[in-house]
Amino acid sequence: MVVARTRLTAEERQEQLLRAALTAFTTGGYAGTTTDQVARLAGVSQPYVIRLFGTKQQLFIATVDHAGRRIEERFRQAAAEEPTLASLGAAYDDLLAERELITVLLHGFTASADPAIGPVVRDCFGRIYRTVRELTGAGVEETRQFIAMGMLLTCLGAMQVAGPGAVPREPWMTELLSK
Amino acid sequence: MVVARTRLTAEERQEQLLRAALTAFTTGGYAGTTTDQVARLAGVSQPYVIRLFGTKQQLFIATVDHAGRRIEERFRQAAAEEPTLASLGAAYDDLLAERELITVLLHGFTASADPAIGPVVRDCFGRIYRTVRELTGAGVEETRQFIAMGMLLTCLGAMQVAGPGAVPREPWMTELLSK
DNA sequence: CCCTGTTGTTATCCACTGATAACTTCTGCG
DNA sequence: CGCAGAAGTTATCAGTGGATAACAACAGGG
């Protein structure tokens, strides 16, 4: 994380904080991450984070929304090269390797019981689903299986079965990841 | 939750607390749930929960493990009637409707970054995968798709798109859940 | 140059939470 | 009975974490 000791506009600082929040929330989830961790990652004071986003909840919501949009964007880029599910699948593999965007979205799922967070998360997910269908022209059943496999890989990533920092593979892990 | 004001053996109380913990952790996840919430649900004092389980972490681990075993058990019951993926799928639908076992496992996924929790969660998941294969005799690819669909439904349940207490359905939700 | 608005900090608060210790109450058994 | 051990409580603490308020420092235009 860049610790540039420059003055930034509020907007620039918010963008930087969103990146820091992405990293922080990826590891600890909503409840398990402190606003101070985010602040330190960005090199600002904790109260300033609160001032710029109002509450920790709003910061999390902004982070999830941001992650959703960036995932969508990556799908669009992939579709620009080749508008197939296979192409989007490769893009998703990249996202999984980078971890943060995907993992934060997963943390959004588990925080959806919060009535302020749920709607935003559902919105993100719905947009992603629709984007996949529109970009590839795939049918409902095909798309559902695509998304389902994505959710499996997401969960495996979260439990460190796949992706960077993964645990040594046991037989069942190898089977599930064989292709 | 039963608030029987009886004295129980430590073992009985632990079982009761596991049930309470299942409910509590389902809603709030690991970091977002307090040991006091669990204690109140079971009608005992918070320090007693700690005494019986050592730490909140160990309580969560026991809860996840318990959930994993009960899920496995339900699959065995389903297979006893009919050892097919369709049969296990129906059992999974029931589990999703009941919410708790499945949701707690999902919260386990997102808490897997904790080095004490990760191994337990992976173990649960691995056992469930192997159980599905052994019970149904399904191939790797078939089983993977089965589990993948399970993860999708699990995530949809967490974000209240499916299951009890679900939000009004938007078009994309209907599509994803159509069969 | 100065002064106004914006960026950012420090100091501080209060509620909460997990954990410990010490004490109490119940129960079953000799 | 009476007492030993198990079940369970109350009191308490130390650390934390989100949020507020008041202050400081910097930039840019008149």
Side-chain angles (χ1 to χ4, degrees), chain A residues 109-162:
Chain A
F109 297 164
T110 61
S112 290
D114 186 314
I117 296 175
V120 178
V121 173
R122 285 188 291 273
D123 229 57
C124 280
F125 194 83
R127 271 206 312 272
I128 290 172
Y129 167 77
R130 267 187 281 105
T131 301
V132 170
R133 281 210 66 191
E134 284 167 16
L135 289 175
T136 65
V140 170
E141 180 59 28
E142 243 184 331
T143 308
R144 173 164 47 209
Q145 282 182 18
F146 177 81
I147 302 277
M149 194 59 64
M151 291 303 100
L152 171 57
L153 293 172
T154 299
C155 291
L156 289 176
M159 57 182 124
Q160 305 176 50
V161 166

Side-chain angles (χ1 to χ4, degrees), chain A residues 1-150:
Chain A
M1 186 60 47
V2 186
V3 196
R5 225 58 201 95
T6 354
R7 267 196 171 209
L8 303 180
T9 66
E11 196 186 357
E12 285 170 333
R13 189 63 83 184
Q14 281 182 20
E15 285 170 20
Q16 187 205 0
L17 279 171
L18 276 182
R19 288 195 297 274
L22 196 67
T23 301
F25 283 128
T26 292
T27 311
Y30 174 49
T33 301
T34 69
T35 55
D36 190 59
Q37 289 175 314
V38 176
R40 282 177 199 282
L41 264 182
V44 299
S45 65
Q46 176 266 336
Y48 196 40
V49 174
I50 295 295
R51 221 191 20 219
L52 288 178
F53 286 90
T55 64
K56 176 186 173 181
Q57 188 186 66
Q58 289 177 278
L59 171 61
F60 184 72
I61 288 174
T63 305
V64 167
D65 189 68
H66 179 238
R69 286 175 199 286
R70 282 182 60 188
I71 290 171
E72 223 180 308
E73 185 189 329
R74 296 285 283 269
F75 277 161
R76 287 187 197 286
Q77 287 171 4
E81 301 225 344
E82 184 194 309
T84 64
L85 282 180
S87 172
L88 297 211
Y92 201 77
D93 283 342
D94 292 345
L95 286 169
L96 281 163
E98 294 165 24
R99 296 196 56 103
E100 300 196 337
L101 297 177
I102 297 290
T103 306
V104 154
L105 196 59
L106 181 63
H107 281 299
F109 297 164
T110 61
S112 290
D114 186 314
I117 296 175
V120 178
V121 173
R122 285 188 291 273
D123 229 57
C124 280
F125 194 83
R127 271 206 312 272
I128 290 172
Y129 167 77
R130 267 187 281 105
T131 301
V132 170
R133 281 210 66 191
E134 284 167 16
L135 289 175
T136 65
V140 170
E141 180 59 28
E142 243 184 331
T143 308
R144 173 164 47 209
Q145 282 182 18
F146 177 81
I147 302 277
M149 194 59 64

Side-chain angles (χ1 to χ4, degrees), chain A residues 31-32 107 109-110 112-113 122 125-126 129 133 140 144 148 151-152 155-156 158-161 167 172 175-176 178, chain B residues 31-32 106-107 109-110 112-113 122 125-126 129 133 140 144 148 151-152 155 158-161 167 172 175-176 178:
Chain A
H107 281 299
F109 297 164
T110 61
S112 290
R122 285 188 291 273
F125 194 83
Y129 167 77
R133 281 210 66 191
V140 170
R144 173 164 47 209
M151 291 303 100
L152 171 57
C155 291
L156 289 176
M159 57 182 124
Q160 305 176 50
V161 166
V167 115
W172 67 268
E175 275 187 35
L176 263 179
S178 70
Chain B
L106 181 63
H107 281 298
F109 297 163
T110 61
S112 290
R122 285 188 290 273
F125 194 82
Y129 168 76
R133 282 210 64 193
V140 170
R144 173 165 44 210
M151 291 304 97
L152 170 57
C155 291
M159 57 182 124
Q160 305 177 52
V161 167
V167 115
W172 66 269
E175 275 187 37
L176 264 178
S178 69

